[in-house]
Amino acid sequence: MGWKDSVAGLKRFAAVPWFPVIVGALSGLNLFTLILSGPLVVLFCSAVLANRKRWFWTALANAVGTTAGCFLMVLLIEQRGTDFIKDSFPTTFKSKWWSWTEGMMQDYGSLAAIPVSGMPIILHPLIFFAKLSNMSNAMLLGSIFVGRVAKYCLMSQLVLCAPSALRFFGASQATIEEVSKQKDK
């Protein structure tokens, strides 16, 4: 089975109505693995391109899955404390986005939660600082959901109209080229 067969198989699989739900669930799982980001971009783009009319459903499903993963993370933090993130995800502290998120939360408080969650970055720092500042779970998860819906709606439109801009969401050049080819079909 060659590359073209794999892409064709993925496109057929991505066309099924429940595929966006699978991608959303994997997005929630990625909060705990941190290794699925690249493949998730490919799967998300495939879901959008396989059925262009359901781009909003795909964005919504991805946001719901991510928010569900964040909900589980919040529950674990409430049970084990904020050190759970430090101990379980030590590499997140080395990320440039950790200090950026910290600054945004210090400067703007809970108002920063929506724009930060709409960025193409990991959500661990946002959850960490929101819990330290005693932001309510409803406010935090609602902000993450709104920010991620906006992010994935924008990504959907970029897939359909300007795939080269997906580089700002971490897509590799190979992914961008493949999305560009599929977009024109």
Side-chain angles (χ1 to χ4, degrees):
M1 180 183 251
W3 170 251
K4 289 185 180 188
D5 294 333
S6 297
V7 170
L10 176 60
K11 194 168 181 182
R12 278 191 307 277
F13 185 56
V16 299
W18 44 265
F19 186 75
V21 175
I22 299 293
V23 176
L26 289 171
S27 291
L29 175 66
N30 192 43
L31 206 67
F32 298 93
T33 63
L34 299 175
I35 59 169
L36 297 173
S37 297
L40 281 170
V41 171
V42 173
L43 294 173
F44 179 82
C45 293
S46 298
V48 171
L49 289 171
N51 189 338
R52 297 163 193 260
K53 292 179 183 177
R54 71 169 186 211
W55 68 268
F56 183 74
W57 161 243
T58 302
L60 193 63
N62 221 34
V64 167
T66 300
T67 305
C70 290
F71 176 68
L72 292 174
M73 180 71 69
V74 166
L75 292 178
L76 286 169
I77 290 171
E78 287 179 350
Q79 190 176 53
R80 299 181 180 180
T82 52
D83 284 341
F84 168 74
I85 288 185
K86 290 180 183 179
D87 296 338
S88 301
F89 308 101
T91 57
T92 61
F93 284 91
K94 296 174 185 146
S95 164
K96 67 179 179 178
W97 297 111
W98 187 273
S99 57
W100 181 82
T101 302
E102 181 180 18
M104 293 293 288
M105 293 297 286
Q106 286 175 347
D107 293 346
Y108 302 104
S110 60
L111 292 175
I114 292 175
V116 168
S117 65
M119 298 292 294
I121 62 174
I122 58 172
L123 293 170
H124 300 75
L126 174 63
I127 296 168
F128 179 84
F129 292 115
K131 294 311 291 177
L132 280 181
S133 66
N134 294 319
M135 181 186 290
S136 76
N137 291 347
M139 172 78 92
L140 172 61
L141 295 170
S143 297
I144 289 171
F145 179 72
V146 169
R148 289 292 156 150
V149 167
K151 173 190 173 182
Y152 297 130
C153 282
L154 176 60
M155 279 182 71
S156 294
Q157 290 306 301
L158 291 176
V159 167
L160 296 172
C161 302
S164 63
L166 288 171
R167 71 182 181 278
F168 299 114
F169 291 91
S172 68
Q173 188 59 38
T175 299
I176 291 169
E177 289 170 6
E178 187 58 37
V179 168
S180 296
K181 286 182 209 170
Q182 295 299 320
K183 179 183 93 62
D184 296 332
K185 288 185 178 181

